[in-house]
Amino acid sequence: MQALGQGVDMQLGLAIDSPKATLAVKRRLACEMVKYWHQVQESIPELPVSEGWGKKHLLFVKWKYVEAKSAAYYFHGLILDEGNSEKSHGMAIAALEASEEFLKESKRASAAFHATPPTSRSPTPFGTAKYLFDKIPKEASSKVRINQDLYTPERVIGAPPPLPDFSLALTPEDYDLPPLDPLWNKEDGHQ
């Protein structure tokens, strides 16, 4: 499931770079990515993660899940903003604000991941993350400014609108690891 989540992240990055990809395609990919990462997060408690790498892996999954939610709410908000009703603009603002909050949480999760032993250097954002870091803060603030008449405490929808529930395009196949090679059991690697 993790591989599928990362694969859809790459597809989303390609869609973002493609002038032919519509907002609907980008939203669908982002929503699928949320579902994959959610499934990974749900299955993690079944795995033994008591050692350092396990804790780091948990943080990685959390980071990618929150980042996926940020992307999904961003693209969902842009589509909602295309509507002509006051309600759709209000929901768009709520979705974009949720996207911005998830982006901040993603930055914190990334920092926690990189700070957890074995520590790693935090790379410069690239791909989908770079796009989100560049676009979400600008888009959220500009939509709020444009729709200031809608952005009053009594008109703003508190919770973000639900994301569309798309069926997953890919499903993992069952896979059994090959048997351990006997050489791995030798201490010095020689027979």
Side-chain angles (χ1 to χ4, degrees), residues 39-111:
Q39 288 180 16
V40 173
Q41 194 172 38
E42 292 294 309
S43 65
I44 288 288
E46 299 169 12
L47 302 173
V49 291
S50 60
E51 297 170 22
W53 285 102
K55 182 177 180 186
K56 192 159 180 99
H57 188 246
L58 285 171
L59 290 170
F60 178 78
V61 169
K62 178 183 179 187
W63 166 29
K64 290 301 174 180
Y65 177 55
V66 177
E67 189 175 272
K69 287 171 89 172
S70 177
Y73 276 108
Y74 172 71
F75 290 115
H76 189 48
L78 293 181
I79 287 176
L80 288 170
D81 196 50
E82 290 178 346
N84 292 327
S85 71
E86 187 176 302
K87 183 178 179 181
S88 69
H89 291 298
M91 289 190 316
I93 289 171
L96 290 169
E97 287 181 332
S99 176
E100 195 169 25
E101 287 306 310
F102 283 123
L103 185 64
K104 290 174 188 173
E105 188 178 339
S106 169
K107 288 177 184 179
R108 289 189 298 270
S110 172

Side-chain angles (χ1 to χ4, degrees), residues 110-173:
S110 172
F113 167 78
H114 292 294
T116 298
T119 58
S120 52
R121 190 176 60 165
S122 182
T124 304
F126 62 95
T128 307
K130 181 178 181 345
Y131 178 82
L132 295 174
F133 289 153
D134 291 344
K135 294 289 186 177
I136 289 175
K138 293 175 191 171
E139 199 71 41
S141 65
S142 78
K143 295 295 179 196
V144 169
R145 274 196 313 275
I146 290 169
N147 298 312
Q148 276 186 343
D149 57 326
L150 301 176
Y151 192 69
T152 59
E154 57 275 353
R155 288 189 176 179
V156 170
I157 299 168
L163 293 171
D165 186 20
F166 296 109
S167 60
L168 297 175
L170 303 170
T171 56
E173 295 178 7

